[in-house]
């Protein structure tokens, strides 16, 4: 069985790996499709991000779908042959945060393909994987394997949307329309936003945001003052989703957010210098959004019912034997939104 | 100029009425379409409801659309010829509730076509009406006059949906799928509900609920036990919208609502005997929803953008000269959801 | 070792019971004081309530304090001799509600002294008991054993207060000032309520409410119209805690609750006939409050710091050998608020 | 009649000013006591802050109490001789934010003694002032004039506390224990916080925080690592009130705040460089708190009832003829918390 193992920046290898043993309440899954995420790219391009670095070989990947090959003992509600999306969120269930329903803050989280802890948690870009029954979510026959793999990033978008509270009828701004920003556009539209404006500096991201439901997009590289018409009366957006991780994007949007507006920060960008006096005087509500937990089931249900369509975001699919090409395309924001790897 | 004036039960007359004077910040509007609401029907059939009774002749109607005929002094942002939906919500703006943003609880509300206060507030089923500029909401050319008139009941549905908090990914039950219940189905779907089940005792209501977005409907007259498969593990619905005003409908749904579930009561039904111990032990959150205020603008925006489609609910349109026939059809739930009156 | 075992109404026996085995992460506790709760009284007087009936002999009691006698293996953070209050809340930790932080809705709760399931969960009115380490909360030397035993009913009051949301500056009405109502008065005062009015039909309850912090009390038996001066402008209370379980108490208070007011129902009272139209038109938010979970630690901390004083509610203390007398006094609301049993 | 007029930094003059005309629904008030606020100090020391500069002579002051001297026409519910605290918050009542209950974000606010707009809004450090009836809040005879003047900064503290949501049982950290920070300690204690820790770099501030109810204080100048014992398990405080406006104070506290913790930023401090990735990963909820509106009435009620005691914060009182001395003492944080000016 093959797996995609990162050893060092740009050193991604296809390696033979033993099929893991299946236990009770588990499933052996034949992986079919995997999406390349920003964190996978960071490992591939730079060997990590911030203090998180590859310290040993690690299988990448956490956005995957597949087919159940075998069900372990005690599993009687899912059959071999069932097509599934796999949730990579594996909280411990017993720490104080799990017991408060905040599984994404678990003190002992084992998220696939993460070098946050050592030994690293091996990922899911592999031909076979053993998972817990609770990680498997059946997908509709109307979905392709690639769409099913996108349940994971959609979960991130849904979680961000939920962090904003009710969006029905709200005016929403999304800064940064890469894959996550574009999925937030879709989630906000699905959640009933009345107006959605997206900004970015790239044309592919902006056109993708329109396809995912934005009413209007602004290229803030070409039109740096594009948000100024939303600044009257202290600002007109009820909610800002900041998905670029870029300080300028956040600062540039603040005048367009109304007093008591909610700003959901999704993009990771390290240190930012912010005009805190404006946060005080306009009483912004600036909230972080990180990963997801129960939103995975929601993502699959919305995809299964066709209530959100992620097809416009799929830029290309490569066989896993051409994984390096896939990662290189994924790294080019002018040509790719989501790049998929097929493990068949 | 003609108006539809109720004098007594079943005594609805077409009467010549003077065109009112237009003042500053006001508009003279040529009314085009009006929807018959449950309260209009109560005046027509019974002369009122509860302690609210017709004590003098009253023009009915509060769900109307029209065309701006003339703009008063100080109005420079809307032109004659503009097609509009008219909000019937006219709070005072200065009482304690208005100053808290709770305009639907205004101490001096003047809602169109209401006998709650005497002299009654005259309604909008008339060929011409003078309104405040702030009541006018421009509608898209893609909407018919009748769809525009439905902004008002849709506002009620949106307000009810908002009372439930964020619905993205939630499992929703709607009991009572008359016009308001069906619009709540649409609002909940628009707000991102993952699952929507509707119940009613009439086939037209149930098929309408499906058209408005329900995943599944149950005829609880034919299948009184139809909700029993949702009762495992203390109940599976996160939110119940009770839109029938019927005690049995509410009681019959409680086992299917999960602990901490939200129950939004929209239907008016007078006294109900309720198992309060279950409300305590399951810690339900039972919330009233009454009218709307800022949701009117939201309703028009969602209709204008095609994000909610109310056409499936329009059962028939009558010229105002046949208003009595219109009211009689509207009273027959087996044949009509929303009946419109044309004032052209 | 002795325990208080209920066999049938008014048949409460002192029985010799074996000391249970202590296991890992557990404590053997010498029980010192126990408070008689309403549910204990129901078992004693009537053999149960509603469908919950004694079907086998059951040790009563769930409001207890004691001293650690022995610590099981793996317990290294509490020493023998430590005085503790014992939380009777024992959720499973793994069901869907526990994993959402809603432990009071656990699908497999084993609450002390409850006949809700058969075999019944034996209670804590006994000289020795083995508990999980996590149930033990150290109490300050400034607290008597009896005050420590009151951490449990105080937890109920704190949970009810939390169900109302933030109370700082709010106007609060409490209907029913028995032990739980009086503790809600204390919790609401502690939580910053600006105005607290209590109602009851008994003088002892009313004077206790004043001692626990109410600004004013009204005997609604003598003065049925006593709340009428709070009904102007649609009502003046932001929050109503209904702790009587009495339909008339709830109905009589509704006119005094403002639109969008929160009504927390704590009292159990079976079926109630309610004016649901008023709940709709005033958009009340009617919320059940049931037991508690994390509030137990809060109760102990507030008691330890003297931030809430429960001494005024302790009416009498009996040795367990006179338990029947204790129960009979506890049943007389004109003479007793909280009656304690000493197990020393 | 005399007023305290600032002309330039350190140029504070006592000037003869005409008594204003009283109108309908207004009161003529003899001012008795005024507290010197941080913004008054900025005008006195630096001529303003940020872009807000004195561009014309301005009467300072917005924390004042007095006695009603004369009631205008239409005022029948307050008598001459009544002692009052005066709310300096004067929103327009009709803009979009006032109509949403967000009066502190009014588009046309006229806050006393503010150079934010030109002509400046003249302040209340004067012997007589005409106010709207709605600004007057009667104070109890148990309060001194100075305590009554402190209703205003207490309102700021209460508003900050409310921005945090319910505090009952919460663990609270306050960074910066100057007058506002110390009043937040009092507000949080009143609102039911279970644990309150304060930090500052000055001993007077820290001892004041203890007097206002903190459980523990830490001098982070002497003990920069003093919060490290609160960082286990991702942090232990539920709520952080940042009242210093100091970037280091905020950054130094983040490790001690739990995931999903609420951070209320009250202190103004201009640009801050923040570790935004931590805000994302721990999903902080960072909320600005600015001024107040309805909290003024709450402040007076809590003071009147003795539920909050501000006396420990009053460092000194000067006759207005010695105002410059008063301002100089107020500027010395090692010697003064709140300095009052008497206008009698």
């Amino acid at each position: 069985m093959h797996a995609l193992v990162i050893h060092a920046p740009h050193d991604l290898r296809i390696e033979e790996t033993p099929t893991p043993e299946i236990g009770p309440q588990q499933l052996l899954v034949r992986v079919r499709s995997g999406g390349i995420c920003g964190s996978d790219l960071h490992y591939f391009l730079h060997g990590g991000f911030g203090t998180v670095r590859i310290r040993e070989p690690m299988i990448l990947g956490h956005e995957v779908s597949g087919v159940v090959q075998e069900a372990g003992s005690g599993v009687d509600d899912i059959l071999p042959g069932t097509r599934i999306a796999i949730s990579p969120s594996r909280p411990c269930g017993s720490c104080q945060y799990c017991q408060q329903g905040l599984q994404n803050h678990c003190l002992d989280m084992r998220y696939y393909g993460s070098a946050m802890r050592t030994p690293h948690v091996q990922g899911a870009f592999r031909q076979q994987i053993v998972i817990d029954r609770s990680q498997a979510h059946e997908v509709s026959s109307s979905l392709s394997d690639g769409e099913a793999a996108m349940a994971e990033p959609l979960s991130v978008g849904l979680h961000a949307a939920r962090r904003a509270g009710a969006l029905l009828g709200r005016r929403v701004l999304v800064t940064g329309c890469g894959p996550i920003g574009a999925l937030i556009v879709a989630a906000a539209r699905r959640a009933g936003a009345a107006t959605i404006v997206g900004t970015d500096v790239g044309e592919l991201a902006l056109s993708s945001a329109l396809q995912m439901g934005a009413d209007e997009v602004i290229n803030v590289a070409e039109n740096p003052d594009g948000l100024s018409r939303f600044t009257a009366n202290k600002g007109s957006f009820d909610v800002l989703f900041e998905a670029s991780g870029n300080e300028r994007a956040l600062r540039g949007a603040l005048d367009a957010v109304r007093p008591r507006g909610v700003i959901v920060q999704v993009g990771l960008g390290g240190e930012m210098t912010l005009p805190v006096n404006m946060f005080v005087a306009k009483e912004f509500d600036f909230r972080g959004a990180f990963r997801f937990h129960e939103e995975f089931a929601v993502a699959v249900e919305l995809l299964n019912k066709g209530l959100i369509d992620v097809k416009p975001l799929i830029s290309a699919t490569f066989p896993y034997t051409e994984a390096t090409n896939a990662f290189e395309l994924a790294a080019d924001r002018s040509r790719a939104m989501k790049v998929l790897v097929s493990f068949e």
Side-chain angles (χ1 to χ4, degrees), chain A residues 47 58 113 125 177 204 258 275 278:
Chain A
M58 182 177 77
F125 281 176
C177 294
L204 176 61
R258 54 165 283 165
M278 195 194 295

Side-chain angles (χ1 to χ4, degrees), chain A residues 326-337:
Chain A
F327 274 71
E328 276 163 8
L329 177 62
D332 182 350
R333 287 199 65 206
S334 72
R335 293 194 297 142
M337 292 292 283

Side-chain angles (χ1 to χ4, degrees), chain A residues 42 48 63 72 76 111 146 156 192 216 230 259 265 271 331:
Chain A
H42 273 95
E63 308 178 353
D76 56 6
Y111 212 88
V156 175
E216 175 186 347
F230 298 101
Q265 182 69 35
E271 300 279 311

Side-chain angles (χ1 to χ4, degrees), chain A residues 93-138:
Chain A
S94 58
C95 75
Q96 65 190 93
Y97 300 110
C98 285
Q99 289 286 310
Q100 292 168 2
L102 301 173
Q103 281 80 1
N104 58 333
H105 298 292
C106 174
L107 294 173
D108 193 26
M109 172 65 78
R110 295 162 303 134
Y111 212 88
Y112 284 139
S114 168
M116 275 197 192
R117 46 199 283 177
T118 303
H120 302 339
V121 184
Q122 298 296 316
F125 281 176
R126 42 194 296 158
Q127 293 187 293
Q128 286 175 303
I129 193 167
V130 166
I131 65 171
D132 292 338
R133 168 66 188 93
S134 59
Q135 294 176 258
H137 297 260
E138 184 171 355

Side-chain angles (χ1 to χ4, degrees), chain A residues 272-312:
Chain A
M272 293 192 195
T273 301
L274 298 175
V276 167
N277 281 5
M278 195 194 295
F279 283 70
V280 172
K282 291 177 78 171
E283 294 193 316
F284 287 144
D285 203 329
F286 179 76
R287 303 175 185 166
F290 184 64
R291 292 181 178 163
F292 58 85
H293 185 64
E294 63 168 34
E295 289 85 358
F296 196 89
V298 174
V300 173
E301 186 166 1
L302 295 176
L303 289 172
N304 281 349
K305 291 184 174 172
L307 291 167
I308 286 184
D309 178 8
V310 294
K311 285 193 293 291

Side-chain angles (χ1 to χ4, degrees), chain A residues 26-339:
Chain A
Q26 292 190 321
L27 302 173
L28 174 64
V29 179
R30 184 164 287 280
V31 176
R32 279 197 173 162
S33 181
I36 298 173
C37 169
S39 65
D40 297 316
L41 270 178
H42 273 95
Y43 293 121
F44 176 76
L45 295 172
H46 313 296
F49 40 90
T51 59
V52 178
R53 319 300 308 180
I54 308 169
R55 299 176 208 286
E56 58 185 352
M58 182 177 77
I59 302 175
L60 291 177
H62 53 270
E63 308 178 353
V64 292
S65 66
V67 181
V68 176
Q69 190 174 341
E70 184 186 336
S73 65
V75 177
D76 56 6
D77 60 348
I78 194 164
L79 292 174
T82 305
R83 296 173 64 240
I84 58 169
I86 299 174
S87 174
S89 173
R90 297 186 297 163
C92 76
S94 58
C95 75
Q96 65 190 93
Y97 300 110
C98 285
Q99 289 286 310
Q100 292 168 2
L102 301 173
Q103 281 80 1
N104 58 333
H105 298 292
C106 174
L107 294 173
D108 193 26
M109 172 65 78
R110 295 162 303 134
Y111 212 88
Y112 284 139
S114 168
M116 275 197 192
R117 46 199 283 177
T118 303
H120 302 339
V121 184
Q122 298 296 316
F125 281 176
R126 42 194 296 158
Q127 293 187 293
Q128 286 175 303
I129 193 167
V130 166
I131 65 171
D132 292 338
R133 168 66 188 93
S134 59
Q135 294 176 258
H137 297 260
E138 184 171 355
V139 298
S140 154
S141 60
S142 60
L143 293 187
S144 68
D145 294 327
E147 287 168 81
M150 291 191 65
E152 203 270 358
L154 177 57
S155 302
V156 175
L158 292 168
H159 181 72
R162 279 191 167 175
R163 284 287 287 151
L167 291 172
L168 182 58
R170 297 301 178 204
R171 288 157 293 173
V172 169
L173 175 63
V174 180
T175 53
C177 294
I180 293 298
L183 287 164
I184 289 172
V185 167
R189 189 95 274 171
R190 185 67 262 156
T195 304
I196 302 177
V197 176
T199 70
D200 203 295
V201 296
E203 283 305 316
L204 176 61
L206 293 168
S207 62
S208 297
L210 285 173
Q211 286 178 288
M212 297 307 286
D215 294 298
E216 175 186 347
V217 291
I218 298 171
N219 187 323
V220 287
E222 297 172 0
N223 183 7
D225 211 32
L227 287 170
S228 61
R229 66 194 159 85
F230 298 101
T231 61
N233 293 330
K234 300 193 182 181
S236 65
F237 291 105
D238 301 301
V239 180
L240 162 62
F241 292 98
E242 206 303 292
S244 73
N246 184 297
E247 178 187 299
R248 267 174 309 163
L250 175 52
R251 292 184 71 106
L254 296 177
D255 281 335
V257 179
R258 54 165 283 165
R260 286 282 175 100
V262 173
I263 302 172
V264 178
Q265 182 69 35
V266 192
L268 292 166
E271 300 279 311
M272 293 192 195
T273 301
L274 298 175
V276 167
N277 281 5
M278 195 194 295
F279 283 70
V280 172
K282 291 177 78 171
E283 294 193 316
F284 287 144
D285 203 329
F286 179 76
R287 303 175 185 166
F290 184 64
R291 292 181 178 163
F292 58 85
H293 185 64
E294 63 168 34
E295 289 85 358
F296 196 89
V298 174
V300 173
E301 186 166 1
L302 295 176
L303 289 172
N304 281 349
K305 291 184 174 172
L307 291 167
I308 286 184
D309 178 8
V310 294
K311 285 193 293 291
L313 297 181
I314 300 176
S315 301
T317 304
F318 288 75
Y320 75 92
T321 50
E322 298 173 27
T324 296
N325 291 340
F327 274 71
E328 276 163 8
L329 177 62
D332 182 350
R333 287 199 65 206
S334 72
R335 293 194 297 142
M337 292 292 283
K338 180 60 69 180
V339 176

